[in-house]
Amino acid sequence: MSQTLEKPDPYNGLRRAEPTLPSTAYYDPDAFRRDLTTIWQRNWVLVCRSADLAEPLSFRTARIGDQEIVVVRDETGALHAFHNTCRHRGAQLCRESQGRLKARLITCPYHAWSYSLRGDLVRVPSKTLPEGFDRKDFPLYSVALEEWRGFVFVNLAETPDAPLARSFDRESGDLSNWPLEDLIAGHVFRTVLKCNWKVFWENFNECLHCPGVHKHLSALVPIYGRGLMVRHDDPEWARNADNDAPEFSGGLRPGAETWSEDGRAHGPSFPGLSDRDRAAGQTYVVSLPSMFVVGHVDYVRSVRLSPLGPEETELTAEWLFTPEQLAAPGFDIANIVDFGLRVLEEDADICEVNQRGLRSARHDRGVLMPEEYDIHRFHQWVRNQHAIHDA
Ligand code: FES
Ligand SMILES: [Fe+2]
């Protein structure tokens, strides 16, 4: 009964009608700029997998709003991130989105200033250096970088408010039994959604749309077919508190093991998983504003967001497997990827529908229903970030 004392009513739903963010938050250029400066430039943002930079001297560029950074692995194996901008007159340093440097130097394509992979300015090809100029004063603009279990994050704040470990959502599930570090991408899907980045997060934070938008997913995850995400989203949850049928527990339909076209897992499931991990069907870890990762018994999917404009968001999804799974004869990756792709495309499409309606001059803002409690939490997070970081 102590559980009852700690949380007298575990029903998740909203009890009051809460307003959404104002419609202008989703298309106004000033609102977008505010999101960039108070959220995207102040929080940890996923840029790639460590395995994308496996070799020394490999690099990748990444865009976060109007900022471009370059991540590079130095000759000792350490990763570094910098603004992709030369200290001389500001030229873009790396023009390719990924590749391998030919030497242990980043050399600007304009006048050939060269930097070590730690960011020190080491070569200036002028015939003579002017008085008052010291190379030490012009290192690359460094960017904070941290890794989490094979995922590379950066933080554009000169002094990040908190370490990366603190950036995960408190409601995140636990993926510690999944071998995240060892996984490699078997499939990558990239698309540009014609919607504000917040429209995507709102969509991710409710399943009220699932019965109408995701027919296949709702058949596989019966609780989603009821428009709910987890057991305690149901106002009647107490009546079914001991019922482990998936429409109440949140697991997969009987006979299904994973998110795939036929519900079957392909290859052995990850050996470290507990019975609970397996029964969950899907386990999410979320880091606002840029990432969610979902673990299934036999693979992991990551989704990364990058805001390109007020009404444009890049989405990159990766299906991650062990190298052994990918090499196994007869491995049917399409059975897995096709299922997830359909869900993503359904979400992408409905997010764009959402975006197109928001410009109505009459629609100042919307209102949330009880099942949308996590959107309310997201909105509170956004308001809070604005309040903390507004200059
Ligand atoms: S702008 Fe880079 S060397 Fe001149
Ligand atoms: Fe969805």
Side-chain angles (χ1 to χ4, degrees):
M1 295 315 285
S2 64
Q3 213 181 353
T4 315
L5 284 176
E6 283 162 23
K7 206 174 177 189
D9 183 1
Y11 170 54
N12 287 331
L14 289 175
R15 288 161 192 287
R16 285 197 332 206
E18 297 286 352
T20 65
L21 299 174
S23 298
T24 50
Y26 303 93
Y27 58 80
D28 178 70
D30 290 340
F32 180 66
R33 172 129 296 280
R34 188 186 194 200
D35 281 354
L36 292 184
T37 55
T38 64
I39 294 175
W40 288 89
Q41 295 175 17
R42 301 302 295 259
N43 284 280
W44 291 96
V45 172
L46 174 66
V47 287
C48 62
R49 293 273 299 160
S50 314
D52 297 331
L53 297 157
E55 300 295 320
L57 312 195
S58 53
F59 71 88
R60 281 218 163 201
T61 62
R63 196 170 146 192
I64 304 169
D66 58 358
Q67 302 297 298
E68 191 171 274
I69 60 140
V70 55
V71 183
V72 60
R73 192 177 293 281
D74 74 18
E75 56 277 18
T76 71
L79 290 176
H80 305 273
F82 308 103
H83 284 260
N84 194 17
T85 295
C86 179
R87 290 296 306 266
H88 175 214
R89 278 175 36 221
Q92 182 189 40
L93 289 168
C94 295
R95 288 189 279 191
E96 310 292 323
S97 61
Q98 62 187 85
R100 190 135 186 244
L101 299 166
K102 289 183 188 60
R104 297 172 179 184
L105 291 172
I106 299 174
T107 299
C108 178
Y110 203 175
H111 316 96
W113 282 28
S114 294
Y115 303 86
S116 78
L117 303 191
R118 276 165 217 77
D120 300 317
L121 175 59
V122 292
R123 203 167 70 93
V124 175
S126 290
K127 308 282 172 289
T128 173
L129 298 179
E131 208 174 301
F133 173 85
D134 187 342
R135 275 197 291 256
K136 282 204 251 350
D137 296 335
F138 296 90
L140 293 179
Y141 302 108
S142 71
V143 172
L145 178 148
E146 279 198 47
E147 287 176 88
W148 173 76
R149 308 202 55 204
F151 293 88
V152 180
F153 286 74
V154 299
N155 191 320
L156 287 167
E158 281 188 46
T159 319
D161 293 337
L164 171 62
R166 292 256 308 277
S167 87
F168 295 99
D169 188 84
R170 63 179 156 83
E171 300 291 328
S172 284
D174 181 3
L175 288 176
S176 48
N177 291 337
W178 273 261
L180 295 184
E181 301 77 353
D182 305 334
L183 305 182
I184 53 173
H187 187 79
V188 178
F189 169 72
R190 211 168 259 123
T191 189
V192 175
L193 310 175
K194 290 193 175 50
C195 71
N196 184 269
W197 66 277
K198 299 189 293 297
V199 167
F200 178 87
W201 272 119
E202 292 175 7
N203 173 269
F204 176 80
N205 275 316
E206 51 91 355
C207 224
L208 199 50
H209 70 279
C210 292
V213 170
H214 301 305
K215 297 272 188 269
H216 288 78
L217 177 58
S218 292
L220 181 70
V221 188
I223 200 168
Y224 290 0
R226 298 173 62 219
L228 308 174
M229 294 183 291
V230 293
R231 187 189 285 280
H232 291 119
D233 293 4
D234 182 355
E236 311 265 280
W237 71 270
R239 256 202 241 165
N240 300 297
D242 299 323
N243 191 336
D244 281 335
E247 57 265 47
F248 302 108
S249 72
L252 307 182
R253 68 165 167 76
E257 301 163 289
T258 195
W259 284 31
S260 65
E261 290 290 85
D262 61 8
R264 288 216 314 264
H266 290 253
S269 61
F270 297 123
L273 302 188
S274 66
D275 289 346
R276 203 163 158 229
D277 294 333
R278 259 186 277 276
Q282 55 281 323
T283 301
Y284 290 91
V285 167
V286 177
S287 172
L288 289 177
S290 68
M291 178 194 85
F292 78 82
V293 175
V294 53
H296 302 292
V297 294
D298 55 339
Y299 72 100
V300 168
R301 186 160 51 94
S302 69
V303 169
R304 175 168 79 88
L305 291 186
S306 174
L308 302 182
E311 298 179 276
E312 236 182 36
T313 304
E314 184 187 54
L315 179 151
T316 307
E318 300 197 5
W319 282 256
L320 305 170
F321 303 89
T322 61
E324 298 75 44
Q325 277 177 312
L326 282 178
F331 177 59
D332 182 9
I333 194 169
N335 187 40
I336 287 170
V337 170
D338 290 355
F339 186 86
L341 265 185
R342 187 191 305 108
V343 176
L344 276 178
E345 281 164 359
E346 288 164 347
D347 280 329
D349 180 63
I350 206 69
C351 283
E352 293 180 356
V353 168
N354 192 170
Q355 185 73 39
R356 290 199 293 273
L358 282 165
R359 276 183 179 267
S360 160
R362 299 287 299 279
H363 188 75
D364 289 343
R365 62 178 73 228
V367 60
L368 298 177
M369 290 296 101
E371 297 90 339
E372 296 169 310
Y373 62 94
D374 245 353
I375 297 186
H376 180 55
R377 209 161 63 80
F378 170 66
H379 288 167
Q380 293 294 61
W381 182 83
V382 168
R383 291 179 182 113
N384 204 25
Q385 294 292 309
H386 287 165
I388 301 171
H389 295 129
D390 266 335

